[in-house]
Amino acid sequence: MSATAAEPWVGKPLKRKEDPRLIMGRARYIDDINVTGQLWASFVRSPEAHARIVSIDTAEAAAQPGVHAVYVGNDLDLEAPLPMAWVPPGVEVKNPPHWALAKDEVHHVGDPVALVIGSDRYAVVDAAQLVSVEYEPLPVVVDLEKAYEGGDLVHADLGTNQCHEWSLGGGDLEAGFNAAEVVVERRIVNHRTAGAAIEPRGVLADYRAGSLTLTSSTQVPHFLRLFLALQLGISEDRVRAIAPEVGGGFGSKLQIYGEEIALAWASRKLERPVKWVESRTEGMLATHHGRDQIAYAKIGATRDGKITAYHTKILQDLGAYLMLLTPTIPSLGAFVMSGVYDIPAVQTDIVGVFTNKMPTDAIRGAGRPEATHQIEMMIDQLADELGMDRLELRRKNFMTPESFPHETALGVVYDSGDYPKALDTLLEMADLDAIKAQAPAGKLRGVGYSTYTEICGLAPSRVTGPSGFGLQTGLWESAMVRVHITGAVTVYTGTSPHGQGLETTMAQIVAQRLGVDPQNVEVIHGDTGTGPQGLGTYGSRSTAVGGESVARATAKIVEKARQIVAHQLEASPEDIELIDGKFAVKGSPDKGMTIGEISGAAYIPENLPEGMEPGLEELAFYDPENFVFPFGAHGCVVEVDPDTGNVDVIKYAAVDDCGPAINPKIIDGQVHGGIVHAIGQALFERIHYDEDGQLVTGNFADYALPSAADVPSFDLDRTETPSPVNSLGVKGIGEAGTIAASPCITNAVIDALRPLGVTFINMPLGPQRVWEAIEEAKR
Amino acid sequence: MIPAEFDYVAPQSLDEALQALAQGGEDAKILAGGHSLIPLMKLRMSQPSLLVDLRQLQDLKSVNADNGQIRLGAMVTHHRVATGNFGLASAAAATIADQQVRNMGTIGGTLAHGDPASDMPAVLLALEGSVVIRGSSGEREVAANDLFEDFLTTAVGEGEILTEVRFPRLEGYGYGYEKFNRRQEDWAMVAVSALVKKAADGTCEDVRIGLTHMGSVPLRATAAEQALRGQPLTAESIASAASHAAEGTEPPADLNASQDYKRHLARVLTRRALTTASE
Amino acid sequence: MAGSVRVTMTVNGAQQSAEVEPRLLLVHFLRETLGLTGTHVGCDTSNCGACTVHLNGEAIKSCTLLAAQADGAEITTIEGMGQEGALHPLQEAFWEHHGLQCGYCTPGMIMASADLLERNPKPNEEEVREALAGNLCRCTGYHNIVKAVLAASEAS
């Protein structure tokens, strides 16, 4: 198929380029990759939530046939504990050492204590069972609020369970609450969940002749290379990290895991490739969790519904250690704590608290679902207190479309938005009240709304970097675009997609600008050994930051192409533009060259402009000036069976705005998945530790991801408000559905239960909790 | 997750299977569909020394539904039960886990395992069915009422094989099956099987109610049955009878369902199952 | 040390035979002995369905089956469903309707869907959703998977 520039590739719902290998079972995920001479690893993990390691006897395991080595914590001579990337200026963050294998003490069930390496996948699991560890149990800290108050300690040498305090505020809070005629306070629980990508994590470490190649199911191969180099004391140029096909991440693979470091170390020690793939049970224990905070939120307003102040204090359950971004997560939400509302005084106070559980870290949305859940629930609670329609209250406090770019009381500048339009669009597409009114006998129906924004496109480095927010990294992205002599194009991106469809989205961006078919644009990612550097895929950054870097590299190609064409056609470069698939002279579209003809001239450089380098390949780095702020309005109807407490979502409609759509099909898919992720949290999923710190929900039988039979189809629409931040006008969409949906569901359940006297309820809204709320309201 | 090592045989006849079991001793286990056993083995909560796989025993895959009695070989899959038009048993089997599990899991396996959270034990109890158990010393028929002895403990002894499941077709009975779980593929939090025979005058001539996951074994809700028998089948009398459904039960509590909540569910589901069965 | 058993089965039309440990799971036989890595493992408890293949024409979870149990059987995996240029209608439909994102659950979803359409060629949405209750997906929210299965049903 020959493309023309008239073909507007951007905006088309193209089928994805990545799909053929996936639907034919031909993709190569980590567990599909094996190398000659490979050994297998199995980890021995603590069954105790908190204990001193008295002794470890590895002799019997080491004596098993086929076992090559058994290592314990003190065997691993690493340069440093596992990394944590946040050093906020002026804030003390207590960071207890966290080693790839625990050394003296274990701090959560699943903490690894030994590593068994052998020749057979099954036999290393058998041998790991023979490692005998003697533990001296220590007091176990599970309850977040109790841990915050003191008592037993997770890390005795810290003298406290409180890791850090961090605040973000703006405006005069005292004056705001003084001006309030109504104040509503709630304790809002956002419980612990798992990322639960269907592909378990896995690592293949291959150290040979002084160089390490490490393949891992990761979202961040470039960070991984850096930290492997630092941890193992290997020069960064001798380390190559590869993310193969990755079966979902949702933040859980945005991490530097001990298993990655331990396997690299063992491969170097044994001079053999070593592979490990977690079981699901292991993954539930030892892949980082998300959410898990309790917020004490307080909102003040005048009687006529003008919000005057909003304050929240958040206790964040960090788990036992700080991993890459553990303590930063609630802070990400603090930047948008006031949501889509123009509130003159806003303050968030966060306390990070250690407990004897797996560390929490980024899971889809990372802090922003929690913030949105809070404000959207508080709006409904306030409306109820005021006796005002909750949509009227929202409209009364929306930042107005004319006010953008809008600087909030927190000093955050929202790039663009039209919140009333999103809500109007939602109300036009679905008459939720009518559906509510049709409740069958014996059932209760409720309507919920969520009008949200989020902060993404991570990130402007001068804001997030060491002297600003305190992340010890830049958050730019880079891309390299190579036009081959045939006119085919290869794009190298530093992002590391794992389901987001960026091979297609980025091809569309490039194809549009070069006048080629996206089918002839290959996007390469996830390998530090090829192409430019990058920082990975998370924080809804891959199109807004990564895509923009692709657009900028492509723009450089276009600029060079115009010079070549102008030279060959004896015209001025300013007069060359893309017309019908050719770079042609304005007004004479027949006089022009395709990108293939131009690259031919560039690679057989007989007639290039004086001094021009041959070739047609460009690199661009892009660091955004600001974040981007997607937004939208979600609405749903739930049906509650008051006899059992069962909740069914029977209608869900959503309007999302991520700027101009590049591929609407992919955008819709991201929203669908995001919504179900949040429905999962609201109604089904829950990571639960018992009072002894044992994980009760340690597999997919107990950790209840919803299936197709448990959720509805969705009605989606979009508004398109361009962002001024990047040339594509785009905002992120990967996390939006998850950020918006949990308060939408929860508000709907409360709406359904109001006739029974239930006015507030916390997630997870499993049937027993709903039934108990009903029973309690009866008393 | 990978099972620990074991030996494996797939005998050609029932006698060979019994012989293999006898030789295997106390750690030998029977493998039917494997959908209870293999997950436990992968989690290493079960570590048999020998598996005797019954898959080659064609006799155990037969279905016979003549003369008002249904006889199902132990190796008949849940899918075949679900689609076999066996009334209550089919309705319940259709709710087991998911299609893939129903394609492999067997009625004999689930009954011999005797998990009080699984669907078929309480169904067999309500149907007042029985099972045939073969051992080296011969064959015996055990009534459902005597089959489930304790948590995961059935009358199928060491060295014995459950070969057949029998239950009456129960002409003239209406049935209802109400299962409550979080997700469609989950085990029942509580499930209720109800069978109701209506007399000519519209009263309840007979009623049987089976309770799933309301104790360490499947149960009959005898108090509720007694309350309804001989009564008119009105909404009021059904509700009144159902209010007795949880009497005397000590249901196992878990993270998602307390004892109180399960008792409440038993009452609600009994009312619903009886209502359906009485229509 | 346990002995080994010989298993022989027809996989995607070709006869395969190997001496295996009794405890070898069918999914590992397919993936590691035969190199058919399109069938995936996502959990330990028969919940996620990523390992779904067909055994004698019916969808089963190959992580909950010993290779030995499949002795003598006919197995079909995702690799046996369609080829480049000659995709199975379900593969076409999943592609057309964006019924996959990371792709990890996709082979299992397609195999479970094929089992449904074999039994019920014209399912409604509710039937599709129920038939897929044993297959978990974290990416798509199922909307487009359901759409794809319905579209494949229409197309055939």
Side-chain angles (χ1 to χ4, degrees), chain B residues 36-112:
Chain B
S36 297
L37 181 58
I38 292 174
L40 290 174
M41 289 170 63
K42 286 165 70 180
L43 298 168
R44 303 215 169 181
M45 290 157 70
S46 176
Q47 301 201 12
S49 58
L50 169 71
L51 286 188
V52 180
D53 188 347
L54 305 184
R55 68 185 164 86
Q56 311 222 55
L57 307 186
Q58 297 308 319
D59 289 354
L60 267 52
K61 297 178 183 174
S62 68
V63 171
N64 185 323
D66 301 336
N67 305 326
Q69 192 180 48
I70 293 152
R71 295 167 171 234
L72 303 174
M75 291 292 283
V76 171
T77 62
H78 300 316
H79 176 68
R80 289 178 68 200
V81 178
T83 54
N85 198 21
F86 306 131
L88 173 63
S90 297
T95 70
I96 295 172
D98 54 58
Q99 185 62 46
Q100 292 97 312
V101 171
R102 292 194 294 272
N103 285 342
M104 270 312 287
T106 64
I107 186 155
T110 193
L111 291 172

Side-chain angles (χ1 to χ4, degrees), chain A residues 75-422:
Chain A
D75 294 332
L76 271 61
D77 51 340
L78 297 165
E79 302 287 322
L82 294 173
M84 194 281 285
W86 193 43
V87 186
V91 175
E92 187 201 358
V93 180
K94 298 185 181 69
N95 185 14
H98 179 205
W99 296 97
L101 293 179
K103 287 181 190 284
D104 305 312
E105 223 175 274
V106 290
H107 294 96
H108 66 90
V109 169
D111 217 353
V113 295
L115 171 60
V116 178
I117 293 171
S119 51
D120 180 80
R121 181 177 201 160
Y122 281 24
V124 291
V125 177
D126 296 341
Q129 286 199 317
L130 301 175
V131 173
S132 171
V133 187
E134 188 187 337
Y135 296 99
E136 178 191 324
L138 296 168
V140 177
V141 179
V142 175
D143 183 88
L144 170 59
E145 286 167 321
K146 285 184 194 156
Y148 165 70
E149 283 158 15
D152 292 331
L153 297 177
V154 177
H155 299 280
D157 47 350
L158 296 182
T160 173
N161 288 323
Q162 296 186 20
C163 165
H164 77 296
E165 290 180 40
W166 184 94
S167 292
L168 181 70
D172 188 338
L173 206 63
E174 199 183 332
F177 280 114
N178 284 340
E181 292 162 309
V182 174
V183 173
V184 175
E185 296 184 63
R186 293 287 182 274
R187 174 179 174 275
I188 297 178
V189 179
N190 205 300
H191 62 283
R192 183 176 279 242
T193 65
I198 306 297
E199 184 206 22
R201 288 192 294 123
V203 183
L204 170 58
D206 189 356
Y207 183 93
R208 56 183 77 210
S211 292
L212 171 69
T213 301
L214 188 124
T215 309
S216 179
S217 180
T218 183
Q219 299 172 226
V220 287
H222 295 272
F223 279 134
L224 184 55
R225 173 179 61 179
L226 170 66
F227 286 110
L228 285 165
L230 296 175
Q231 296 263 311
L232 278 85
I234 309 175
S235 179
E236 202 179 348
D237 60 299
R238 293 294 193 97
V239 181
R240 179 179 178 187
I242 300 171
E245 198 83 45
V246 173
F250 314 102
S252 70
K253 295 171 182 173
L254 161 54
Q255 191 55 270
I256 305 300
Y257 280 105
E259 292 90 350
E260 293 168 322
I261 304 298
L263 258 73
W265 181 90
S267 176
R268 181 172 67 177
K269 185 86 175 168
L270 295 166
E271 298 186 321
R272 291 281 291 270
V274 184
K275 182 171 163 181
W276 164 81
V277 177
E278 73 179 4
S279 70
R280 176 59 55 187
T281 306
E282 204 174 12
M284 297 308 284
L285 285 170
T287 294
H288 76 238
H289 298 153
R291 317 285 188 257
D292 208 355
Q293 60 174 235
I294 297 174
Y296 309 90
K298 180 178 172 186
I299 195 163
T302 59
R303 268 278 154 219
D304 63 356
K306 187 70 198 140
I307 301 168
T308 56
Y310 183 49
H311 177 252
T312 181
K313 175 171 178 173
I314 295 172
L315 299 186
Q316 173 68 43
D317 190 331
L318 304 167
Y321 304 106
L322 303 185
M323 295 186 76
L324 192 63
L325 297 167
T326 299
T328 66
I329 301 304
S331 299
L332 297 178
F335 290 102
V336 287
M337 196 51 79
S338 50
V340 291
Y341 310 106
D342 190 3
I343 305 177
V346 182
Q347 167 118 358
T348 304
D349 297 317
I350 294 165
V351 182
V353 180
F354 291 112
T355 57
N356 289 115
K357 303 176 202 163
M358 182 64 202
T360 50
D361 205 316
I363 295 294
R364 200 172 196 169
R368 292 152 289 158
E370 297 93 314
T372 304
H373 192 80
Q374 278 187 50
I375 185 70
E376 286 304 298
M377 287 206 68
M378 290 305 284
I379 291 285
D380 265 36
Q381 294 293 307
L382 176 63
D384 184 41
E385 188 69 29
L386 292 169
M388 181 178 282
D389 178 83
R390 44 201 171 142
L391 295 181
E392 187 192 340
L393 179 61
R394 283 174 168 81
R395 289 183 191 280
K396 204 162 232 174
N397 291 281
F398 276 159
M399 298 171 194
T400 60
E402 311 76 52
S403 67
F404 290 91
H406 184 112
E407 184 169 349
T408 70
L410 298 171
V412 178
V413 179
Y414 287 16
D415 58 345
S416 63
D418 191 339
Y419 307 144
K421 186 176 171 191

